[in-house]
Amino acid sequence: QVQLVESGGGLVKPGGSLRLSCAASGFTFSDYYMSWIRQAPGKGLEWVSYISSSGSTIYYADSVKGRFTISRDNAKNSLYLQMNSLRAEDTAVYYCARAFVEMATRGPGWFDPWGQGTLVTVSS
Amino acid sequence: SYVLTQPPSVSVAPGQTARITCGGNNIGSKSVHWYQQKPGQAPVLVVYDDSDRPSGIPERFSGSNSGNTATLTISRVEAGDEADYYCQVWDSSSDHPDVVFGGGTKLTVL
């Protein structure tokens, strides 16, 4: 079955870096767009970044632009999120999700499925 | 930036119908997607493209979208439907496209 498993979360000091990974299985990874979405403790969902199947199209939320970098390795069926200059407000559970493209806009549509998430805590 | 507005909470008795709204400027011109999230779990897609259901989602879940409001309707509500529900769109109307989530609605089954 389709499965996404995140790893790489943990405790990091403000200004530090962390690299998240997402291992995909059960589907042809190279055919799908992928995304990272986060959820701060007790808060709602916030989209972080999105990458096309080939990696040629990438979008970021304003809150992470210039600090986070999304990438993928289709040969390894893996998605990554390099997070630099981390701030306390980046503390959240980070989910990777498979993304479907909207026919009308060719932009990211819905996300299905989602991984179980990995917790990133930014604190001194 | 585009804003999606959801009521913080909705309460309904078992067997009744729950309606969760998602308001946005001319949201009827966008495709709306809905997720269910139970405590300690990842979100699950329940409706996509306004009104389509993924395989495995009960027919009790349906969606509609028109004007400035999209609605997720859950018929014959069960205790297991108690969860947070989020709407989501892709906003390509500005020079900075963005994926937008609503603030979430907590559905309580009385």
Side-chain angles (χ1 to χ4, degrees):
Chain A
Q1 75 281 21
V2 175
Q3 193 170 14
L4 299 169
V5 179
E6 302 95 334
S7 61
L11 175 63
V12 61
K13 289 181 168 53
S17 297
L18 213 54
R19 189 193 196 207
L20 306 183
S21 299
C22 171
S25 60
F27 66 102
T28 304
F29 181 73
S30 58
D31 284 349
Y32 287 88
Y33 289 39
M34 297 294 294
S35 192
W36 288 99
I37 299 154
R38 68 185 180 183
Q39 186 171 34
K43 302 297 185 183
L45 301 171
E46 180 188 17
W47 170 73
V48 172
S49 184
Y50 166 90
I51 186 169
S52 63
S53 53
S54 66
S56 60
T57 299
I58 288 173
Y59 297 110
Y60 295 101
D62 283 344
S63 57
V64 306
K65 202 167 190 177
R67 301 187 298 123
F68 290 12
T69 302
I70 192 172
S71 63
R72 64 189 297 161
D73 185 336
N74 286 342
K76 295 183 177 180
N77 292 337
S78 293
L79 176 72
Y80 306 102
L81 186 68
Q82 177 66 43
M83 304 186 295
N84 299 330
S85 303
L86 282 162
R87 307 165 180 166
E89 54 265 35
D90 295 318
T91 294
V93 173
Y94 285 72
Y95 296 101
C96 75
R98 185 174 64 172
F100 288 80
V101 177
E102 288 186 354
M103 290 298 104
T105 65
R106 304 305 300 169
W110 61 98
F111 304 106
D112 180 51
W114 301 46
Q116 87 290 346
T118 187
L119 176 62
V120 173
T121 303
V122 184
S123 174
S124 55
Chain B
S1 60
Y2 195 76
V3 176
L4 294 175
T5 301
Q6 297 182 237
S9 63
V10 167
S11 299
V12 64
Q16 300 303 303
T17 297
R19 293 179 179 85
I20 299 172
T21 58
C22 177
N25 183 34
N26 197 25
I27 194 174
S29 67
K30 303 182 184 301
S31 292
V32 180
H33 321 296
W34 292 91
Y35 304 89
Q36 175 194 70
Q37 185 179 33
K38 296 182 179 179
Q41 297 183 19
V44 172
L45 179 73
V46 293
V47 167
Y48 66 97
D49 271 354
D50 297 339
S51 59
D52 290 334
R53 265 187 325 276
S55 60
I57 300 300
E59 292 183 7
R60 300 185 298 104
F61 289 82
S62 62
S64 62
N65 183 21
S66 178
N68 292 318
T69 305
T71 303
L72 174 69
T73 301
I74 308 171
S75 304
R76 302 180 300 283
V77 166
E78 302 172 358
D81 298 331
E82 189 162 284
D84 293 328
Y85 291 84
Y86 295 90
C87 58
Q88 175 246 316
V89 301
W90 165 247
D91 176 41
S92 57
S93 59
S94 70
D95 57 1
H96 180 65
D98 202 5
V99 173
V100 181
F101 286 95
T105 298
K106 181 175 180 58
L107 176 67
T108 299
V109 181
L110 301 171

